[in-house]
Amino acid sequence: MADNQFTTHTELFDLSGKYALVTDAISDAPAWIGNGRYDVLAMNQLARALYSPVLADPRRPANTARFVYLNPEVARDFFVGYDQIAGDVAAKLRMEAGRNPHDEELITLVGELSTCSELFRQRWASQDVRLHRSGRKRVRHPIVGQLNLDVESLELPAEPGLHLNVYTAPAGTPTADNLALLAS
């Protein structure tokens, strides 16, 4: 894969076992590996518990952009600040389209979202481009309630376009306590 800057869908599935070892090694924080299309390629157990609403869609790989735009009622309940999340997702997809304009799976995803979501069409038409690697993510989990998580997204240099996303919370906070409950 070193000769090709971008990985294909099939190659990503081949990598998922390798990266499951990486995410599973992180036991005290939700961790998952994804690409610029918002495909979820590997997750540890705590990330699976955290992102259970996203994983309810049986299609694999799970895709958070589809969740945000094609399941907006559940996504609005899950993501605190849904409107910001929706804007960020469209902006990052637009950035990915600029980075890899011939990615057939990205073209298909954008077509699907454009066909099925008026909100996506509006956000896509705004031509916003945005990249964020760290920040705060607030979710409302159906079992443990609201979680205010710090997120770091780390690029995997050996696999261009893939990122390890790790969510943390300071010890002693209600979010840390609720993450521990979710992990049990």
Side-chain angles (χ1 to χ4, degrees):
M1 262 190 315
D3 295 335
N4 183 0
Q5 184 179 0
F6 305 105
T7 56
T8 66
H9 188 67
T10 303
E11 289 168 328
L12 289 173
F13 278 122
D14 293 343
L15 293 172
S16 65
K18 173 180 159 183
Y19 288 120
L21 295 173
V22 172
T23 58
D24 287 345
I26 302 169
S27 58
D28 293 335
W32 61 280
I33 293 175
N35 61 23
R37 292 185 302 269
Y38 282 94
D39 291 331
V40 177
L41 306 173
M43 301 179 101
N44 67 8
Q45 190 63 36
L46 189 49
R48 284 189 288 278
L50 176 64
Y51 268 70
S52 59
V54 177
L55 299 174
D57 185 334
R59 291 184 283 187
R60 293 296 177 260
N63 183 282
T64 56
R66 277 192 188 97
F67 175 70
V68 165
Y69 284 108
L70 302 184
N71 199 350
E73 298 83 19
V74 177
R76 280 183 198 282
D77 288 342
F78 182 68
F79 288 115
V80 177
Y82 171 82
D83 291 332
Q84 178 69 44
I85 295 289
D88 290 347
V89 167
K92 186 175 175 191
L93 286 174
R94 184 170 280 289
M95 186 191 73
E96 182 69 11
R99 186 179 78 86
N100 191 5
H102 305 293
D103 180 340
E104 290 296 326
E105 291 175 69
L106 178 60
I107 293 166
T108 299
L109 175 64
V110 169
E112 176 186 5
L113 298 177
S114 296
T115 301
C116 299
S117 171
E118 173 65 28
L119 179 59
F120 180 78
R121 286 191 299 275
Q122 292 169 2
R123 297 296 172 96
W124 186 259
S126 75
Q127 299 187 4
D128 190 16
V129 177
R130 190 172 318 139
L131 174 64
H132 56 276
R133 299 277 185 202
S134 64
R136 169 82 33 133
K137 182 148 307 198
R138 297 177 307 138
V139 299
R140 196 175 302 104
H141 192 273
I143 296 173
V144 298
Q146 186 163 322
L147 301 167
N148 300 314
L149 300 160
D150 295 318
V151 61
E152 292 294 332
S153 182
L154 310 167
E155 189 169 349
L156 300 176
E159 300 297 338
L162 299 187
H163 295 89
L164 171 64
N165 303 283
V166 181
Y167 299 159
T168 59
T173 63
T175 293
D177 295 342
N178 285 338
L179 275 179
L181 179 62
L182 196 57
S184 64

